[in-house]
Amino acid sequence: MALQPSFQRALVIAGKYDAPHTLDVFLDYVCPFSAKIALAIDSVLKPLFAPGGKYDGKVKVIFRNQVQPWHASSTFVHEAGLAVARVAPEEFWKFSLALFAAQRDYFDIPTSTLTPTEIREKLTALVAESVSEDKAAPFKDLVTLKTTPNGGVDVTDDLKYTIKFSRQNGIHVSPTVLWDGLIANEISSSWGEREWTEFLEKKVTA
C-alpha cells in the first residue's frame, strides 16, 4: 500500500520500508482493541522484523491513523500523533504507545467537560512527558488553531490524507489489518506470539 513520502520515517513502525510484504494496521488511539494489538506489535512483531530478526527485510508494518468520529476526542488524539510524526518522527511509535497507555484519559466521559484547547493542552503535556520537553512547544504550535475561523490546525491536511486513505480503501472500524493490501479478517486483537508466528509462517513467501 502506498504511503505519503513525508510519513515514511514515522509511520513505518516496524521493518524496512522496502520490505516486500506489508501489514497495514488501522488503529484508533481511543479504541481498547487497538491498544491490545499495538502491544502485540511492539512485543511480538517488532523483534521479528528488526535487524537480525527472523523476518528482517521481509515484512514492514505501517501505522494507519483510523479516526472514529463516534469517539469525540478521536480527531484530537490523531492530530497529536500526526504532529509528533512531524516534529519527532523517530519518536512516533513511542508516543503512540504512551497515548494508548493513557487512552482512558481521552475516553468520552473524561473529556466531556473539556474544551478542544484543554484536550490539546493535555496532549502537549503527554508529549513533554513521553517524547521530550523540547518537542512540546513545536508540537503545540502544530495543534493550535489557525487564525481563520474554520482553518483547522497545521496537521489538518495530514489528517485529511489519513481519513481519505481509509475511506477509499473501505476501512470502517479499528483495528483493521491488511496483509499485502487485502483485509485479513482472521487477525484478532487478542493474538499473541503463537497466533502471529503461525500467520507469518504461512504468509511470508518472499
Side-chain angles (χ1 to χ4, degrees):
M1 299 286 277
L3 182 63
Q4 187 169 297
S6 60
F7 289 145
Q8 289 179 13
R9 285 182 59 205
L11 302 191
V12 178
I13 58 173
K16 299 173 182 174
Y17 183 74
D18 60 355
H21 292 292
T22 303
L23 273 169
D24 288 282
V25 187
F26 292 77
L27 303 178
D28 179 20
Y29 289 121
V30 286
C31 166
F33 299 103
S34 291
K36 287 181 65 177
I37 204 167
L39 291 176
I41 290 169
D42 196 59
S43 63
V44 178
L45 297 184
K46 280 182 70 70
L48 291 174
F49 305 156
K54 182 176 181 179
Y55 298 107
D56 177 17
K58 296 183 178 181
V59 185
K60 62 181 173 291
V61 181
I62 299 178
F63 185 106
R64 300 289 187 178
N65 298 77
Q66 180 67 10
V67 176
Q68 298 194 132
W70 48 88
H71 296 309
S73 71
S74 188
T75 293
F76 303 121
V77 292
H78 284 286
E79 283 178 350
L82 293 167
V84 170
R86 290 286 183 184
V87 301
E90 68 285 352
E91 302 291 347
F92 170 79
W93 181 238
K94 180 181 178 181
F95 174 73
S96 293
L97 290 174
L99 189 46
F100 279 124
Q103 70 174 191
R104 289 182 176 273
D105 294 341
Y106 300 93
F107 281 179
D108 293 344
I109 291 178
T111 58
S112 63
T113 59
L114 300 178
T115 66
T117 299
E118 289 171 332
I119 294 172
R120 291 178 172 122
E121 289 286 352
K122 281 175 62 70
L123 290 162
T124 301
L126 184 62
V127 170
E129 176 186 336
S130 63
V131 179
S132 69
E133 291 188 6
D134 67 319
K135 298 298 183 182
F139 167 88
K140 184 177 180 180
D141 184 60
L142 289 179
V143 298
T144 297
L145 290 169
K146 295 178 179 178
T147 54
T148 55
N150 204 29
V153 298
D154 281 339
V155 292
T156 295
D157 285 344
D158 291 345
L159 191 71
K160 289 178 180 179
Y161 169 83
T162 64
I163 292 171
K164 290 175 180 178
F165 185 87
S166 293
R167 287 176 176 174
Q168 77 171 14
N169 288 291
I171 309 300
H172 301 291
V173 297
S174 68
T176 296
V177 182
L178 279 61
W179 174 260
D180 290 345
L182 297 179
I183 293 176
N185 284 317
E186 68 269 34
I187 294 177
S188 168
S189 61
S190 64
W191 275 18
E193 184 176 0
R194 178 179 62 83
E195 292 86 357
W196 277 113
T197 299
E198 292 175 353
F199 176 84
L200 292 170
E201 286 177 349
K202 294 177 183 176
K203 294 291 188 178
V204 176
T205 59

